[in-house]
Amino acid sequence: MNEEIGSFKENIRRTFIRFSLVPVASIVTAAILLFSVAWITFTASFNARDNKVIAEEIDRRMDVYYGMIEDMERNIRENDMVVDRDVIYSILYDRTKEFGQIGNLMLFKEDESAVFSSVHYFPDFAVSKGYENWGPWNFVKKYRGKTETILIDGNICVVRGIYQGNLLRYAIFYVVPKTTIANVSPGENRYLFVTDQYGWLYTANNNILQNQLGRVDSKIISKNGYMKIDGKIYYSYKTVTDSGITVITVNSLGQSLILVSVLVAILTVIFIAITIIAYKSTDSSSERYTSDIEKIEEAFERVQNGDLDTKLDTNSSIEFKTIAYDFNEMLASLKEHMDKNKELAENVAFTQVKQLESQFNPHFLFNTLDNIRFMARFDAAAADKMIVSLSGILRVTLRETREEISVKEELDNLQFYFNILQIRFNKRFSYSIDVEKDVMNCQMPKLLLQPLVENAVKYGFNGKEKLSVVIRGYHHNDKLIFVCQDDGAGIAEEVLKEIKENLKNERNQSNHYGLYNIHRRIVLMYGDGYGLDINSKENEGTKVSLKLPKKEM
């Protein structure tokens, strides 16, 4: 006997009851696991990355001091082993001006008598007899012709002996200023220790995880990774620089573990709530979902009878809404192809304009969201301001249906973008807007200036520490002129030539989409008499000019 076939509505209801809880439980479990893995990976990777950045910067600074001492030795040898104090001072100031402190540079003769001191002070480890066998004098005699770093009495001392044959003529000691090393820390929410290879502390941004003698906990020195110290969990990463300095960065995971526990509790509550709601709503949900099946059937019957004005409206689920949308679009397309379009050229141009507009919006959105993701970890207030500014931009991008808006509206939208850039780059970025008041009510295509600024920032910072962007707007001979000028890296002559040639083409034949899209939009909307012009000089900046018709609102 054949099994009785139930109604589609009843089958849907049973399916909801039987299978809805399993996916929810799986999703909750997967979310917890994914969050935990992502959190562990994030903590380790960012700790290691910042550690290497700090270590590389310390190495760079120590290389400066090594080079300074080698310059001094070279000068002494060229001067027939005679110390010229003025030249030594000159080398010292020239090499250390980057850091703002000259440190304590000391020169001694072979008999350990002092020749020179930049601060007129000699620490005990340089002049006391008790340090001869293990202090800097021991390094000078042990490592002939080499520059070495030693951590002694809480100081980093760079030492080198100047030998003439096997005879020691001079010894150079340089005490590195503490601020030079301490200021390397990027200020992240983690502990930083700078030690020697045995864990003896030189500088730190905290007073934990170290004993009274100034030595870092042995667990941190011995390995990288997660560890438990005094009942607390930490993640530690260590790098030994070329100069022998050890850089250790440590994350305290106590607050993070609390956050994970709270997340697990929240997801558990959500799972229980979804279970109750799913059980109680299966009947109404199944009825609502199956009602759309009847609507679809009726719509197809009307179309089969020749009614092309049929509209399908469903709202039970995303899938049925997609079917309804595609059904309505199919009928609209069919009717459009049945009617002759007398304005085909205008429609094609309009389609191209919309396509060009769409190419830069996702690119900008993804970059901004990525910036917000990073800012949210460092500065919640700044991230909030970026979100507000992004919301303002999206309001124009997504809700504004007009192809043309006023200059004032475009500048208001551009100000939101400048707010985001100002937070992102801080003092490295500056801008100014100088637009004549009598053009504020003129019409222009929406979102035309923002891509120019985005392009200037993207390429202008190449090799530049700071960037300034100026926006000017005015009218001339019934034309509206906008200029975006920066003082950035500029464009190489051959690349600039390629961009200008590409602007003349009806189709983009290069990888420079941004400027071409802006130019093509203007040409399609207003004709060949308008568009974009670009001038640039490498290492001096770029100037982009837009020419539009002057149209009052």
Side-chain angles (χ1 to χ4, degrees):
M1 182 176 180
N2 295 332
E3 183 180 353
E4 183 179 355
I5 301 176
S7 68
F8 180 73
K9 175 181 177 180
E10 186 62 24
N11 288 337
I12 287 291
R13 184 175 184 275
R14 290 175 181 174
T15 301
F16 283 161
I17 295 175
R18 186 180 305 171
F19 298 112
S20 61
L21 300 183
V22 174
V24 172
S26 301
I27 291 173
V28 171
T29 302
I32 294 175
L33 292 176
L34 287 174
F35 177 83
S36 300
V37 172
W39 169 68
I40 292 172
T41 303
F42 173 86
T43 299
S45 63
F46 273 80
N47 187 310
R49 183 202 65 181
D50 289 346
N51 185 287
K52 291 177 180 177
V53 169
I54 294 170
E56 288 174 359
E57 178 59 19
I58 289 177
D59 253 345
R60 187 191 71 81
R61 297 187 178 198
M62 293 302 295
D63 284 344
V64 172
Y65 295 133
Y66 276 37
M68 174 185 70
I69 291 178
E70 291 169 1
D71 287 348
M72 292 177 181
E73 179 183 2
R74 188 181 303 110
N75 175 262
I76 292 173
R77 290 187 182 278
E78 291 175 353
N79 202 29
D80 295 331
M81 297 307 242
V82 177
V83 175
D84 188 328
R85 296 173 60 88
D86 292 337
V87 174
I88 296 299
Y89 262 117
S90 176
I91 295 174
L92 174 64
Y93 277 104
D94 183 64
R95 284 286 194 165
T96 60
K97 63 183 179 182
E98 172 187 355
F99 310 123
Q101 291 192 30
I102 64 172
N104 187 4
L105 176 71
M106 297 167 283
L107 268 73
F108 298 89
K109 290 184 179 181
E110 68 276 7
D111 59 0
E112 301 185 10
S113 60
V115 177
F116 176 89
S117 173
S118 59
V119 297
H120 306 296
Y121 166 74
F122 296 95
D124 288 343
F125 64 78
V127 296
S128 175
K129 295 296 183 182
Y131 289 85
E132 287 183 344
N133 295 325
W134 62 278
W137 281 104
N138 181 54
F139 273 70
V140 167
K141 298 171 183 177
K142 184 177 180 180
Y143 301 101
R144 292 188 176 186
K146 293 184 179 180
T147 305
E148 295 292 331
T149 299
I150 178 174
L151 178 60
I152 184 168
D153 290 353
N155 296 284
I156 291 180
C157 186
V158 182
V159 301
R160 183 181 180 92
I162 302 177
Y163 283 80
Q164 194 171 29
N166 292 324
L167 178 64
L168 175 64
R169 297 296 305 276
Y170 294 98
I172 303 177
F173 298 169
Y174 179 73
V175 179
V176 177
K178 273 190 177 292
T179 56
T180 302
I181 303 301
N183 291 343
V184 173
S185 173
E188 299 287 350
N189 186 24
R190 60 174 57 93
Y191 307 131
L192 170 66
F193 304 92
V194 180
T195 72
D196 65 5
Q197 59 180 325
Y198 305 108
W200 292 105
L201 190 67
Y202 172 63
T203 184
N205 62 358
N206 64 91
N207 56 3
I208 68 168
L209 301 177
Q210 53 184 286
N211 59 30
Q212 295 179 347
L213 298 176
R215 194 169 187 266
V216 177
D217 191 284
S218 59
K219 291 183 179 179
I220 296 176
I221 289 294
S222 61
K223 68 174 184 177
N224 291 338
Y226 294 92
M227 60 195 66
K228 191 172 184 179
I229 302 175
D230 296 333
K232 297 181 180 180
I233 299 177
Y234 299 91
Y235 180 85
S236 173
Y237 193 89
K238 176 181 69 175
T239 298
V240 179
T241 69
D242 293 340
S243 56
I245 296 174
T246 299
V247 177
I248 305 171
T249 48
V250 182
N251 286 85
S252 175
L253 305 183
Q255 294 296 327
S256 299
L257 292 176
I258 294 175
L259 177 62
V260 173
S261 301
V262 171
L263 176 64
V264 172
I266 292 174
L267 291 178
T268 302
V269 172
I270 292 175
F271 172 70
I272 295 173
I274 291 177
T275 301
I276 297 173
I277 294 172
Y279 183 80
K280 291 184 177 182
S281 63
T282 53
D283 187 60
S284 59
S285 298
S286 61
E287 182 176 354
R288 184 171 72 251
Y289 291 158
T290 55
S291 66
D292 284 339
I293 298 291
E294 297 177 359
K295 292 181 181 179
I296 294 172
E297 183 181 5
E298 292 174 359
F300 274 96
E301 288 180 355
R302 289 196 298 270
V303 172
Q304 188 175 9
N305 293 329
D307 183 6
L308 297 181
D309 292 324
T310 298
K311 295 292 183 182
L312 181 58
D313 183 20
T314 61
N315 55 16
S316 63
S317 69
I318 295 177
E319 290 79 8
F320 283 130
K321 287 181 71 69
T322 301
I323 291 174
Y325 175 80
D326 291 342
F327 178 85
N328 294 332
E329 287 292 307
M330 178 188 68
L331 289 185
S333 178
L334 180 61
K335 291 176 64 178
E336 181 180 358
H337 284 82
M338 290 175 65
D339 297 331
K340 291 184 179 181
N341 190 347
K342 296 181 180 181
E343 300 176 348
L344 180 60
E346 294 180 7
N347 288 338
V348 170
F350 175 79
T351 302
Q352 293 180 15
V353 170
K354 298 303 292 180
Q355 180 183 9
L356 293 171
E357 286 181 359
S358 67
Q359 289 184 11
F360 62 81
N361 288 333
H363 178 267
F364 160 72
L365 179 60
F366 295 154
N367 281 346
T368 303
L369 290 176
D370 195 50
N371 291 331
I372 292 174
R373 178 172 68 88
F374 279 92
M375 289 301 302
R377 295 197 301 272
F378 308 144
D379 189 340
D384 181 71
K385 185 175 180 181
M386 292 180 75
I387 293 172
V388 172
S389 298
L390 177 60
S391 175
I393 295 174
L394 292 179
R395 190 175 296 111
V396 175
T397 306
L398 302 179
R399 296 185 180 179
E400 182 56 68
T401 59
R402 295 174 296 167
E403 288 302 311
E404 294 178 314
I405 60 176
S406 69
V407 172
K408 184 180 184 305
E409 290 173 308
E410 175 73 0
L411 293 178
D412 290 342
N413 182 63
L414 183 62
Q415 185 61 56
F416 286 128
Y417 184 59
F418 275 131
N419 291 343
I420 294 174
L421 293 177
Q422 197 73 72
I423 295 173
R424 177 183 175 188
F425 295 104
N426 202 355
K427 295 181 180 180
R428 295 180 60 205
F429 177 78
S430 62
Y431 69 94
S432 64
I433 301 176
D434 181 17
V435 178
E436 294 179 355
K437 291 183 179 180
D438 58 352
V439 304
M440 288 295 185
N441 291 324
C442 292
Q443 289 182 320
M444 66 179 297
K446 68 177 182 179
L447 297 175
L448 200 63
L449 298 179
Q450 176 185 313
L452 294 181
V453 178
E454 184 176 3
N455 201 64
V457 172
K458 179 179 180 181
Y459 297 104
F461 269 116
N462 187 15
K464 292 281 188 176
E465 179 64 25
K466 295 183 179 180
L467 181 71
S468 176
V469 176
V470 177
I471 299 295
R472 299 198 305 274
Y474 56 95
H475 68 90
H476 178 70
N477 293 338
D478 295 327
K479 289 183 175 62
L480 194 58
I481 308 297
F482 285 96
V483 176
C484 176
Q485 188 167 2
D486 66 74
D487 60 355
I491 304 173
E493 184 175 354
E494 59 275 14
V495 176
L496 180 63
K497 182 178 180 181
E498 178 188 349
I499 294 174
K500 287 190 173 185
E501 288 297 324
N502 190 51
L503 293 179
K504 301 175 183 178
N505 300 325
E506 292 185 359
R507 292 186 179 181
N508 187 15
Q509 298 179 0
S510 75
N511 294 324
H512 306 288
Y513 294 101
L515 295 178
Y516 178 84
N517 287 357
I518 296 171
H519 177 73
R520 191 62 183 160
R521 283 182 62 198
I522 297 173
V523 172
L524 289 172
M525 295 180 70
Y526 305 119
D528 292 333
Y530 305 94
L532 176 148
D533 183 52
I534 179 171
N535 289 285
S536 181
K537 193 169 184 180
E538 202 166 5
N539 297 320
E540 292 186 12
T542 301
K543 177 181 178 182
V544 180
S545 302
L546 300 181
K547 184 187 297 183
L548 307 171
K550 184 182 179 184
K551 298 167 59 178
E552 299 286 344
M553 294 291 289

